[in-house]
Amino acid sequence: MSEIERQDHGIEQLPLKTFTEKAYLDYSMYVILDRALPHVGDGLKPVQRRIVYAMSELGLSATAKFKKSARTVGDVLGKFHPHGDSACYEAMVLLAQPFSTRYPFVDGQGNWGSPDDPKSFAAMRYTESRLTPYAELLLREVSQGTVDWVPNFDGTLEEPSVLPARVPNLLLNGTTGIAVGMATDIPPHNMREVVSACIRLLEEPKADVIALCEHVQGPDYPTEAEIITPREDILKMYETGHGGIRMRAVFEREDGDIIVTALPHQVSGAKVLEQIAAQMTAKKLPMVEDLRDESDHENPTRLVITPRSSRVDIEALMSHLFASTDLERTYRVNFNVIGIDGKPQVKNLLQMLKEWLTFRTETVRRRLQYRLDKVNRRLHLLEGMLIAYLNLDEVIHIIRTEEEPKKVLMKRFDLTEEQTDYILDTKLRQLARLEEMKIKAEQDELAKERDMLEKILASKARMKTLIRKELMEDAEKYGDERRSPIVAREAAEAMDETALTPAESVTVVLSEKGWVRSAKGHEIDPSTINYKAGDGFLSAARGRSNQLAVFIDSSGRCYALSAHTLPSARGQGEPLTGRLNPPPGATFVGVMMGAEADRYLLATDAGYGFVARLGDLITKNKNGKAILNLPKGARVLPPALIKDVATDQVVSITTEGRMLVFPLAELPELSKGKGNKIISIPGARVASRDEYVVTINSVPEGEKLTLYCGQRHTTLKGSDLKHYHGERGRRGNKLPRGFQRVDRSSLGE
């Protein structure tokens, strides 16, 4: 087809790139301007504006009878907003919910949702609605020539492009919206504070944001929860147009219980209780015994948290709950609005109030001009009517005798066409003598009003005074006290895992094959419990359930696991390799528990070792932490708990039956390394496994040491050990015959 034929058929060709760019840009601008962002003038998005206007057109004022919400939604969709009915109804519900909107526009009757579940509202065929008195502030002047009118979607009706708000509704009710490439999050504010700031700006046009913030303390949500954002952060938010607001629930104490009386904006009490209950179920909140929701009509929010005992630190508990549940929440703030120039922009507090006052000044000017035009027209008509009254007989004669009385009257009495039509349309009963007096009285009254309107329109000072007076009247009538107190609070901090875990006595048992389990209490004998076939007892450590169990493997690496997470000793446990990642071929050789300040003696069978603080062995890494450096051919010995570094003695025994005893204080305290020589063994003998350390202990002063050789055993007291005292690093003395092949040793009898 030729280019001429294409033109004849009305076909237009565009590059795909150009078409897609234009199509997406058009869509983006539609979403930004006609769906998601509010206008600085009335603070409403198009769907909200259309709902409020449609309800006013239906006659649903604050004093009218309620009508079904489906009627309103039908009018909105059919006349102004050709979109989904459910989305439109949800927007209407938000305008009616007192816990969602600071100053509601819609007065609802029926089920309009609850703070626990805002979306639990009934279908629109069940609920009824009308406008609230507050909505009058946006609608009172709509028919007084104050706004521009635009065609609706099908061109059959006209709708206001913006409503003539008498107060800065944008800040009072706030709004949220997501457009294409931008979003808005404006929190609600208190009417009296915002109006006071507007009046300050009227009187001091050069006032800055800090001056305005003397009046606007901060956002004011429809809930009594505290705003705990620092003052400097609030000032920065108003100066830049974006930031964040943090809200915290309010609680009080009553007979030992914690009573939550106010929740942050749009936070469900049921969800908060669910979050706390989940922590209790996971045994991460041992200090809480019970939860109850005692909310009712008289107490909309009453959540009861019962501590386990009077010794529970309430402040620490609530700080943890603030940090880990929705009892404290942060709200994003982004003052992104469509300005009076029709362009979206992030504005600070000063810019928004200035633009709104510009909008309000123009609205009042148009209202006064509209009224002045009506007054002048009425005076014009009354002037013509008065002429007719003064010449009533002649007027009647002309009307009765002339074929075209209109033209004759206009010429005879120098009347305009409008005046003449008004005279001719006058009913006979209005020709009474008293009407002349009424006309003169109305003329005088209208003349006074005209003079007043002209004076206001001609004077900026008078205009400001009028706007100030109206703002004060509206704030007095519709304003209220601040609901969300602004309070300085310390930052919430979640408790660490050890503080949240019950401190019960436990014994952690490690088997030869690396299986681990945790038994309640310290009385259990680990050697007597059941093990898998081919497995047996290797090591055990006693501690508390809120402590960490630290494991050491044959490569000299340490690992840590929370004791309360380990499986119960009622079963056979689980392999440590399921939770940890030791090097290939490494096996676990011991377990340690206690406070971080506790000391353990770590050593290799090559005769080297050092004192280690338990806190230095802890790591969250599943791959562990390298602690012991192993000489060639050496192996890691089970760690020995140290009771007192100053008085304990090190007792080491080799496979050759040599035993050496010396003060533990001679060994260094290290966080990692090879350590110092404990007992002398030639390196070649260790490498060939001809001789090595078989057991090592830290023996407290006055404690006994039992040696086991097959079926035989002997107990050595303090005096017995003196024979084996020597300098650290020596070969030691030989044990008696029959005890030169020690299998193991233990403290006590």
Side-chain angles (χ1 to χ4, degrees):
M1 188 181 290
S2 67
E3 187 64 33
I4 295 176
E5 287 175 324
R6 287 195 187 96
Q7 291 176 358
D8 290 344
H9 284 78
I11 298 174
E12 180 185 5
Q13 283 195 333
L14 284 173
L16 183 61
K17 178 177 181 292
T18 305
F19 174 78
T20 52
E21 280 184 1
K22 183 178 183 302
Y24 192 70
L25 183 61
D26 290 345
Y27 166 73
S28 302
M29 292 308 296
Y30 164 74
V31 172
I32 291 168
L33 300 177
D34 290 330
R35 186 185 295 179
L37 299 190
H39 191 279
V40 72
D42 58 10
L44 298 178
K45 295 188 277 191
V47 64
Q48 297 170 328
R49 186 179 302 121
R50 288 163 178 166
I51 289 170
V52 173
Y53 178 67
M55 291 184 74
S56 72
E57 288 295 285
L58 279 170
L60 294 175
S61 66
T63 56
K65 289 184 177 180
F66 289 94
K67 284 187 180 177
K68 287 288 185 183
S69 302
R71 173 81 180 275
T72 299
V73 173
D75 259 38
V76 174
L77 301 187
K79 293 180 178 179
F80 308 114
H81 197 71
H83 296 278
D85 59 340
S86 59
C88 179
Y89 182 50
E90 283 194 28
M92 182 179 173
V93 167
L94 286 175
L95 295 179
Q97 290 177 336
F99 49 84
S100 296
T101 304
R102 181 66 176 82
Y103 298 97
F105 291 99
V106 178
D107 181 10
Q109 187 168 267
N111 177 15
W112 288 79
S114 66
D116 271 347
D117 188 4
K119 291 187 178 284
S120 62
F121 51 84
M124 57 184 165
R125 62 181 177 272
Y126 298 118
T127 60
E128 297 178 341
S129 56
R130 64 183 178 189
L131 292 169
T132 60
Y134 175 81
E136 183 187 2
L137 294 180
L138 275 73
L139 296 165
R140 188 186 303 173
E141 301 170 358
V142 75
S143 59
Q144 298 178 21
T146 53
V147 295
D148 295 327
W149 294 79
V150 294
N152 69 339
F153 64 91
D154 61 2
T156 57
L157 297 168
E158 286 193 328
E159 60 177 315
S161 59
V162 63
L163 294 179
R166 292 171 59 91
V167 289
N169 180 66
L170 175 66
L171 283 171
L172 302 190
N173 272 320
T175 190
T176 60
I178 299 175
V180 177
M182 59 179 65
T184 183
D185 290 279
I186 303 174
H189 290 76
N190 184 271
M191 182 186 290
R192 291 177 182 171
E193 291 182 6
V194 174
V195 166
S196 179
C198 288
I199 292 172
R200 173 76 176 269
L201 196 55
L202 276 173
E203 295 172 347
E204 300 178 27
K206 293 185 179 180
D208 57 9
V209 172
I210 295 176
L212 296 179
C213 285
E214 294 175 10
H215 305 271
V216 181
Q217 299 300 310
D220 187 22
Y221 291 88
T223 172
E224 289 77 25
E226 297 173 343
I227 294 174
I228 62 168
T229 305
R231 180 67 179 167
E232 56 271 20
D233 291 351
I234 294 177
L235 287 174
K236 186 178 179 182
M237 176 190 79
Y238 285 129
E239 286 175 341
T240 61
H242 53 79
I245 291 292
R246 183 174 288 272
M247 290 194 80
R248 179 179 289 183
V250 175
F251 71 94
E252 57 189 37
R253 301 180 190 182
E254 184 181 297
D255 298 329
D257 290 339
I258 302 167
I259 313 295
V260 178
T261 56
L263 293 170
H265 183 46
Q266 293 180 333
V267 167
S268 163
K271 185 178 179 184
V272 168
L273 290 180
E274 185 180 326
Q275 291 172 333
I276 299 174
Q279 293 190 42
M280 293 172 67
T281 304
K283 297 184 178 179
K284 292 184 178 180
L285 211 57
M287 61 283 294
V288 175
E289 183 177 21
D290 190 25
L291 290 175
R292 295 191 307 278
D293 186 354
E294 295 182 355
S295 306
D296 54 25
H297 184 69
E298 292 183 3
N299 302 289
T301 301
R302 183 179 169 84
L303 308 181
V304 182
I305 303 171
T306 304
R308 190 168 293 277
S309 72
S310 58
R311 296 188 301 274
V312 172
D313 186 342
I314 302 299
E315 296 299 330
L317 169 60
M318 291 308 296
S319 179
H320 169 76
L321 293 178
F322 290 142
S324 60
T325 70
D326 284 345
L327 286 174
E328 184 173 307
R329 179 181 279 188
T330 300
Y331 302 87
R332 191 180 68 166
V333 175
N334 184 23
F335 291 124
N336 190 6
V337 299
I338 299 172
I340 53 178
D341 58 358
K343 297 177 182 178
Q345 183 186 354
V346 176
K347 304 179 187 294
N348 62 25
L349 180 64
L350 177 61
Q351 290 173 310
M352 283 199 294
L353 290 183
K354 267 191 174 180
E355 285 205 24
W356 184 83
L357 284 173
T358 302
F359 168 81
R360 181 61 188 158
T361 302
E362 177 62 16
T363 301
V364 173
R365 188 198 65 76
R366 291 178 66 167
R367 185 190 80 202
L368 296 177
Q369 187 63 53
Y370 178 80
R371 178 60 184 165
L372 180 60
D373 293 342
K374 288 191 73 174
V375 168
N376 284 332
R377 181 174 179 272
R378 181 64 179 165
L379 284 170
H380 181 61
L381 295 176
L382 291 176
E383 185 182 348
M385 181 60 76
L386 191 59
I387 292 172
Y389 271 109
L390 293 174
N391 301 277
L392 188 56
D393 292 341
E394 189 176 354
V395 169
I396 293 172
H397 178 73
I398 291 172
I399 293 172
R400 291 182 66 187
T401 59
E402 296 293 336
E403 290 184 2
E404 295 184 356
K406 181 176 178 180
K407 291 182 179 179
V408 176
L409 287 171
M410 289 174 64
K411 185 176 181 181
R412 170 68 182 82
F413 298 108
D414 194 20
L415 299 172
T416 64
E417 185 175 354
E418 190 177 17
Q419 288 174 321
T420 308
D421 286 337
Y422 185 67
I423 292 169
L424 292 173
D425 290 339
T426 303
K427 295 178 181 179
L428 285 173
R429 64 183 174 187
Q430 291 180 290
L431 300 179
R433 186 172 182 81
L434 291 175
E435 287 296 325
E436 181 182 343
M437 297 172 64
K438 289 182 180 179
I439 289 173
K440 287 184 177 180
E442 188 179 352
Q443 273 185 320
D444 292 342
E445 190 178 335
L446 289 175
K448 289 179 183 178
E449 186 179 353
R450 178 193 60 197
D451 294 343
M452 181 192 69
L453 291 171
E454 287 176 344
K455 284 180 182 178
I456 296 174
L457 286 168
S459 169
K460 288 185 178 180
R462 289 176 186 269
M463 181 72 80
K464 283 185 178 180
T465 302
L466 177 62
I467 294 171
R468 182 177 183 274
K469 179 185 174 184
E470 291 179 349
L471 279 170
M472 291 178 68
E473 288 175 354
D474 292 336
E476 182 65 28
K477 184 176 181 181
Y478 298 100
D480 55 7
E481 296 297 326
R482 166 174 281 278
R483 293 187 192 173
S484 304
I486 300 175
V487 184
R489 300 286 188 195
E490 293 183 3
E493 187 175 350
M495 296 181 185
D496 59 26
E497 199 170 3
T498 57
L500 292 171
T501 306
E504 300 172 345
S505 299
V506 294
T507 301
V508 175
V509 181
L510 179 66
S511 77
E512 295 172 352
K513 300 290 186 181
W515 284 60
V516 68
R517 47 189 147 169
S518 176
K520 288 185 178 181
H522 291 168
E523 297 76 23
I524 185 173
D525 183 355
S527 62
T528 62
I529 60 178
N530 291 328
Y531 293 88
K532 284 182 171 290
D535 201 359
F537 169 69
L538 175 65
S539 177
R542 294 182 173 89
R544 313 291 289 179
S545 57
N546 61 346
Q547 293 176 333
L548 293 171
V550 180
F551 303 90
I552 186 168
D553 70 8
S554 57
S555 69
R557 302 183 73 84
C558 283
Y559 312 79
L561 291 175
S562 298
H564 74 273
T565 66
L566 300 177
S568 169
R570 293 175 182 171
Q572 293 177 328
E574 64 180 54
L576 278 174
T577 50
R579 299 196 189 188
L580 305 173
N581 300 324
T587 57
F588 291 97
V589 298
V591 59
M592 298 166 275
M593 280 188 78
E596 291 189 9
D598 287 353
R599 266 68 176 175
Y600 274 84
L601 174 58
L602 302 184
T604 61
D605 63 4
Y608 289 85
F610 58 89
V611 175
R613 180 176 168 272
L614 188 59
D616 294 333
L617 310 182
I618 294 173
T619 176
K620 293 182 179 179
N621 193 338
K622 289 185 177 182
N623 294 324
K625 178 180 181 182
I627 300 296
L628 263 174
N629 294 339
L630 274 65
K632 185 178 179 181
R635 296 176 183 174
V636 177
L637 291 171
L641 177 64
I642 297 170
K643 186 175 182 180
D644 189 335
V645 175
T647 60
D648 280 15
Q649 298 185 92
V650 178
V651 179
S652 57
I653 303 172
T654 71
T655 52
E656 290 293 312
R658 292 185 173 275
M659 184 168 83
L660 179 66
V661 181
F662 63 87
L664 177 70
E666 294 183 14
L667 284 179
E669 181 174 322
L670 304 173
S671 58
K672 64 178 181 178
K674 178 181 178 181
N676 287 7
K677 184 181 286 186
I678 296 173
I679 188 169
S680 178
I681 304 174
R685 291 182 65 81
V686 173
S688 62
R689 306 302 292 171
D690 289 336
E691 184 182 2
Y692 51 87
V693 177
V694 68
T695 179
I696 193 166
N697 285 280
S698 176
V699 182
E701 189 176 13
E703 186 69 76
K704 299 175 182 178
L705 180 68
T706 303
L707 307 182
Y708 297 89
C709 298
Q711 299 296 321
R712 303 173 65 186
H713 69 275
T714 183
T715 300
L716 303 178
K717 302 176 183 177
S719 57
D720 300 327
L721 295 176
K722 285 183 180 180
H723 176 67
Y724 301 95
H725 274 240
E727 294 181 11
R728 178 185 61 79
R730 297 294 185 180
R731 282 287 284 162
N733 294 330
K734 277 273 190 178
L735 286 165
R737 286 184 177 276
F739 287 96
Q740 293 181 358
R741 295 290 179 181
V742 175
D743 299 323
R744 60 187 177 88
S745 62
S746 65
L747 296 178
E749 296 185 13

